Amino acid sequence: MPDFTHLAGGARLEPDDAAFPRVAFGYAADPADLPESHYLTVGGRQYQADAGSCVAHGYSAVVESFAAERGAGLQLCRQDIYFGARWVEHNGAETRDGGAFPSKAREWLANYGTVTEARKPYKASDVTTWRPPAEWAPDRKLLSVGFVAVSRTAEHLMTEVADGKAVAVCHSVYPSLFHLGVGGIEGGVSGPSQGGHCRAIVGYDRTKATIGFGPGAFLVLNSWQGWGIQHPTQAGIDSLSWVPFSVMADPKWLNDAAVIDRPPEMYP
């Protein structure tokens, strides 16, 4: 597998404070009541060009899957989302290619919306200088979308997927991400952290065998072209892997998870 280490580190990890949990509770079905496996439709692929843009990729993939599940094609503007997630910090972060907090991407998408990739194809050299034109404001409302952070337990995440919702996940990166096991199975927390990354859960299999990690794994969509495995049920979709339930639920690995709670107006 080619070296993808240069694409890791763009998700800024949200601080956790036990006294003020970001998610106070979360509903989860009894896993026995859920389908043994469930896979969501993935939208048109957009691949990552630099490390900083991974949050824009992860969140756009969730919205694009939402549209694809309804038979519609959609590609969101990653340049716009990456700009906005830094701009709402109001400290000049948009002038630096320093990655983004997932909560700030949620804030931008909810309050300002976005546009399609056709308006502004992603260009890495524009990351610190580009700003969205003011005249786009009326169109942004159609692609305003609300996200809500959710409980980071395997049972809750599986429940969301079974309900037809892809999940944006931001996590710490460990060397195991660059050395997938047989069948595209990821390892867990081992070795030094190499920063944060953002991807999207698009499926699960409760009986998936993961040697050393227990049964069950989530199907996770990445934005690295030429990395990982093919989608098990959707032809032509690549850059996926299996993250064992026990890895996904490890607080040293998973930092933030969110789902759509207010869809774009054009996809009710």
Side-chain angles (χ1 to χ4, degrees):
M1 182 180 290
D3 182 3
F4 289 95
T5 56
H6 65 290
L7 293 177
R12 298 171 65 186
L13 303 180
E14 302 281 359
D16 259 323
D17 187 329
F20 302 99
R22 284 178 276 142
V23 179
F25 65 90
Y27 168 76
D30 183 336
D33 294 333
L34 297 174
E36 183 175 284
S37 63
H38 188 76
Y39 305 116
L40 300 173
T41 308
V42 174
R45 294 313 322 276
Q46 300 193 82
Y47 296 105
Q48 195 176 336
D50 61 351
S53 62
C54 66
V55 171
H57 275 276
Y59 275 78
S60 63
V62 169
V63 182
E64 290 159 7
S65 173
F66 185 92
E69 283 279 301
R70 287 149 182 78
L74 176 67
Q75 287 191 326
L76 296 188
C77 182
R78 299 160 296 156
Q79 195 101 59
D80 183 77
I81 298 170
Y82 186 28
F83 164 83
R86 292 171 294 154
W87 181 82
V88 296
E89 291 188 43
H90 300 303
N91 60 11
E94 72 277 9
T95 65
R96 303 183 294 271
D97 187 8
F101 289 108
S103 62
K104 298 302 183 183
R106 296 194 285 269
E107 183 179 341
W108 174 257
L109 287 166
N111 295 339
Y112 297 93
T114 191
V115 292
T116 66
E117 180 76 0
R119 289 286 186 96
K120 175 62 173 76
Y122 192 87
K123 188 176 180 182
S125 60
D126 289 348
V127 161
T128 60
T129 57
W130 180 83
R131 297 180 67 91
E135 58 266 25
W136 288 2
D139 296 333
R140 308 182 71 95
K141 183 178 180 181
L142 289 174
L143 288 173
S144 169
V145 52
F147 277 84
V148 61
V150 296
S151 174
R152 289 167 278 166
T153 66
E155 292 79 10
H156 185 106
L157 298 174
M158 191 166 32
T159 300
E160 296 288 359
V161 174
D163 194 37
K165 299 177 182 177
V167 186
V169 289
C170 291
H171 61 88
S172 294
V173 173
Y174 295 91
S176 56
L177 181 62
F178 308 109
H179 304 283
L180 297 182
V182 175
I185 296 175
E186 289 191 30
V189 176
S190 179
S193 171
Q194 299 180 17
H197 190 44
C198 185
R199 293 186 278 169
I201 299 175
V202 294
Y204 71 83
D205 184 334
R206 290 195 290 117
T207 62
K208 185 77 176 177
T210 62
I211 297 175
F213 295 100
F218 290 101
L219 183 67
V220 181
L221 179 69
N222 206 346
S223 49
W224 299 348
Q225 189 169 19
W227 178 93
I229 61 173
Q230 299 285 313
H231 195 288
T233 62
Q234 190 178 354
I237 299 298
D238 63 354
S239 190
L240 294 117
S241 62
W242 290 102
V243 176
F245 286 172
S246 60
V247 173
M248 184 68 73
D250 187 339
K252 293 181 180 179
W253 192 89
L254 183 60
N255 175 258
D256 191 90
V259 298
I260 292 174
D261 72 337
R262 177 174 55 79
E265 289 186 12
M266 59 194 303
Y267 297 103

